[in-house]
Amino acid sequence: MAYVREDVANLLAMMAATPQPQMHEVDPTTAREMYRQMTAAADRVAPALARKEDIRIPGPAGPIPARIYQASAPSGPAPALVYFHGGGWVIGDLETHDSLCAEIASQLGMSVVAVDYRLAPETRFPGATEDCLAATRWVADAAGTLSHDVTGLILAGDSAGGNLAAAVARETAGELPLLAQWLIYPGVDMAASGGSLAEFAEGYLLTAEGMAWFITHYAPAPDHPWASPLRAAEWDGLPPALVFTCGLDPLRDQGRAYAARLIETGHRVIYREAAGQIHGCMTLRGGIPSAQADLEGQIADLKALLV
């Protein structure tokens, strides 16, 4: 029987005791509102920052909403972190990941720019990746807006956002000053089957049916390196990586395989897996207190990776 942390078991039991449709049983608009309500109820209160400002970034199909987080006023040239939210390319926004991005900015002491890319099914693959590419290139040259020169970029994201971070890192390696990619329980293989997808298909928040629903709406080309970075043929020149997976996650094996492939191809990698933890825990840190320690561990890993 799989090991489940006590606080994870408590949250899962509470959710099971409050019957409601699963996201894959409703339309995308309803699923988005369900996700907003869940994160609002189960995430931590965001820490206070010196600056939190909504902006618009020029994009391929119009302005891209984004949010700047700075724990203190910039004092000189410094790196910046670009964050792509999770949600299966269908749900999620600046609000669902507000606490997480504020926490990262507070603990890392770095400017964070969260990107609210276009969602499916209104915009299918590769629209999200195109938005994230445009936003990343803009941040690299955004000294005026960020109030400091950007000396390097960290690309980060959870779940679908981890997929986007990996794809953007692959596309901009050698073009932009990439310092690291931080992939939090990423989906990196759109044609995956078996393994953890089958082992944790039900009962651990993200389900196999839910993943199929997300992929159906997003409609990626499974073998395209933007959709399935794990299936890419070229691995040269990628930035160092921090890869975080959860022991009870249907996507666990994809993250493991991606970290292993990076190591095999000569890249510096820090890999961390949270035993007994579920997918989505980074935006449920109020309901799963141990997830805060998982986040702090990752931030310590990232700092070590940047040395």
Side-chain angles (χ1 to χ4, degrees), residues 101 126 147-148 190 192 200 236 243 250 257:
C101 289
S147 301
H148 68 84
M190 296 301 100
F200 307 115
D236 291 341
V243 182

Side-chain angles (χ1 to χ4, degrees), residues 145-183:
T145 304
L146 295 180
S147 301
H148 68 84
D149 288 333
V150 176
T151 58
L153 296 172
I154 299 164
L155 305 178
D158 62 298
S159 192
N163 166 281
L164 294 166
V168 173
R170 178 171 297 281
E171 189 68 18
T172 59
E175 171 195 344
L176 299 178
L178 303 183
L179 301 177
Q181 51 184 321
W182 177 11
L183 313 180

Side-chain angles (χ1 to χ4, degrees), residues 22-62:
Q22 295 191 53
M23 288 186 185
H24 67 268
E25 297 173 331
V26 299
D27 61 88
T29 300
T30 303
R32 290 166 190 160
E33 183 57 30
M34 290 170 61
Y35 189 39
R36 290 188 195 102
Q37 291 178 7
M38 181 176 70
T39 56
D43 208 353
R44 286 165 59 101
V45 175
L49 302 175
R51 180 185 183 188
K52 184 166 76 171
E53 179 183 351
D54 288 351
I55 61 170
R56 298 273 176 165
I57 295 173

Side-chain angles (χ1 to χ4, degrees), residues 28 32 85-92 117-129 132 158-165 167 186-190 210-211 213-220 226-229 251 254:
R32 290 166 190 160
H85 68 77
W89 310 275
V90 177
I91 62 177
Y117 54 87
R118 289 171 291 163
L119 297 176
E122 295 88 346
T123 301
R124 299 184 187 271
F125 176 83
T129 311
C132 292
D158 62 298
S159 192
N163 166 281
L164 294 166
V188 288
D189 185 358
M190 296 301 100
M211 272 305 301
W213 184 84
F214 288 131
I215 291 172
T216 296
H217 284 301
Y218 188 46
W226 287 7
S228 299
L251 303 187
Q254 297 182 37

Side-chain angles (χ1 to χ4, degrees), residues 170 229 231-238:
R170 178 171 297 281
R231 294 177 174 263
E234 179 57 58
W235 290 80
D236 291 341
L238 296 175

